[in-house]
Amino acid sequence: MTYQDIIMRLSPVCGHGEARAVARLVLEERFGLSLTDIAFGKVNDFTREETEELEKIIVRLENHEPVQYVLGWQTFCGHRFRVAPGVLIPRPETELLVDACAVKDKSCRVLDIGTGSGCIAVSLALRHRCAVEAWDISGEALEIARDNAMRLGAEVTFRKADILSWRDWYKASPAQEDRRGKGMYDIIVSNPPYICRREAAEMERNVLDYEPDMALFVPDSDPLLFYRAIAEFGLATLSAEGKIAFEINRAYGSDVCRMLSALGYRDAEVIMDQFDNPRIVRCSR
């Protein structure tokens, strides 16, 4: 099997240009080949075991499995995060959410809701060395996030929690009683589920077939479901000048801002990404 053979097999799945990039990434990361090695046809010198492993990888990619899951990692904010089908693959545009948090100093208390792989929480902890807490409803996601924090040397406190039922456990928890109303967090950040079910028809197979539904979708009838729950939780737990930063569905930036303003938040604004799409909404308590 040659480098060109790999590209030809992957081109129907992702297009010729991306097939070249994926083929090179696999050969570099899994088999240690440099660009020079690839150019000189070192793929042809693979042992039988290496060829069999490469074939298994190509079959997975032909079945539209994301290369990040095949290799087991994705880079985010300059760090390599372990990923698996139980968590969303971190996207480059989500790095803007980390920047939008505007942590002032080490005394800042940050909560990441729906942490997934932990990429946001861990990146903030490594960048600012502040107190970071991270929640997710998925035990599988929390296991991956804890592993990423440990490998990268980030101090993050993880908790299994469902933000949609926060009133039930918040009011019933004695541990919160002394802190209630005193500002438990200075920043709440979240990249919550925000894709409406009706949008699934426009999505790629590699997302629909492999990435977790619970981290992607909200009901068509209530696209602001998670934003509203988090904002209401913020009213009970944010400090006086506390901030919220969301990644958003680009169709609902104005709606999210209006909802936040109606709840009493100040200075709600939409931040555009590098592709000039509405990507982040940020506001102050």
Side-chain angles (χ1 to χ4, degrees):
M1 185 186 303
T2 67
Y3 176 51
Q4 292 302 322
D5 291 333
I6 302 170
I7 295 171
M8 291 299 293
R9 288 180 61 177
L10 296 181
S11 290
V13 177
C14 55
H16 188 75
E18 187 174 346
R20 289 178 63 89
V22 169
R24 178 178 170 185
L25 181 63
V26 167
L27 293 173
E28 287 180 342
E29 290 293 328
R30 190 57 62 86
F31 299 97
L33 297 189
S34 66
L35 183 59
T36 301
D37 293 331
I38 295 170
F40 279 91
K42 292 290 186 179
V43 181
N44 302 328
D45 298 333
F46 276 5
T47 64
R48 184 181 67 181
E49 290 77 12
E50 288 172 327
T51 301
E52 290 174 352
E53 182 182 358
L54 178 58
E55 174 63 24
K56 291 177 181 177
I57 289 172
I58 293 172
V59 169
R60 291 174 68 181
L61 295 170
E62 286 179 318
N63 286 326
H64 295 267
E65 184 171 355
V67 66
Q68 293 91 342
Y69 289 155
V70 173
L71 295 177
W73 65 269
Q74 169 70 342
T75 299
F76 183 85
C77 286
H79 306 287
R80 287 167 66 113
F81 286 85
R82 181 166 78 87
V83 294
V87 298
L88 288 182
I89 297 167
R91 267 65 172 183
E93 54 267 28
T94 301
E95 295 183 6
L96 185 60
L97 185 57
V98 175
D99 297 334
C101 287
V103 176
K104 293 182 178 180
D105 53 48
K106 293 181 180 180
S107 66
C108 191
R109 300 157 299 171
V110 181
L111 172 62
D112 174 26
I113 297 177
T115 195
S117 66
C119 62
I120 294 170
V122 170
S123 296
L124 286 168
L126 291 174
R127 181 180 296 185
H128 300 289
R129 302 295 172 182
C130 58
V132 180
E133 192 173 331
W135 297 355
D136 206 286
I137 193 173
S138 166
E140 183 179 2
L142 287 170
E143 180 182 343
I144 292 171
R146 286 190 182 99
D147 177 68
N148 281 322
M150 183 177 64
R151 286 188 307 99
L152 293 170
E155 293 187 15
V156 179
T157 301
F158 293 97
R159 174 181 176 183
K160 188 173 184 180
D162 178 4
I163 189 61
L164 296 183
S165 60
W166 72 268
R167 286 183 177 83
D168 296 334
W169 51 257
Y170 179 75
K171 292 179 180 178
S173 174
Q176 309 292 8
E177 190 65 40
D178 292 338
R179 303 170 68 184
R180 198 167 299 148
K182 298 180 181 178
M184 296 164 60
Y185 307 106
D186 300 301
I187 295 174
I188 295 176
V189 58
S190 183
N191 179 15
Y194 60 65
I195 301 172
C196 293
R197 284 284 175 184
R198 62 176 176 269
E199 298 178 72
E202 304 171 7
M203 297 171 65
E204 299 292 337
R205 277 187 58 189
N206 60 342
V207 176
L208 287 174
D209 292 353
Y210 292 95
E211 298 199 59
D213 270 22
M214 72 166 59
L216 291 169
F217 293 108
V218 289
D220 291 344
S221 60
D222 193 3
L224 305 190
L225 175 65
F226 286 92
Y227 301 125
R228 187 183 309 106
I230 294 168
E232 290 171 348
F233 175 74
L235 292 176
T237 59
L238 277 171
S239 58
E241 299 297 322
K243 299 183 183 298
I244 289 180
F246 292 126
E247 182 166 331
I248 61 165
N249 183 324
R250 63 184 182 180
Y252 295 105
S254 296
D255 294 309
V256 173
C257 287
R258 280 193 292 270
M259 179 270 294
L260 291 167
S261 296
L263 287 174
Y265 287 92
R266 299 181 295 104
D267 304 323
E269 61 174 335
V270 176
I271 300 173
M272 312 299 279
D273 66 16
Q274 64 267 41
F275 306 108
D276 205 31
N277 290 318
R279 180 64 56 184
I280 307 297
V281 164
R282 183 172 59 184
C283 67
S284 300
R285 178 74 191 275

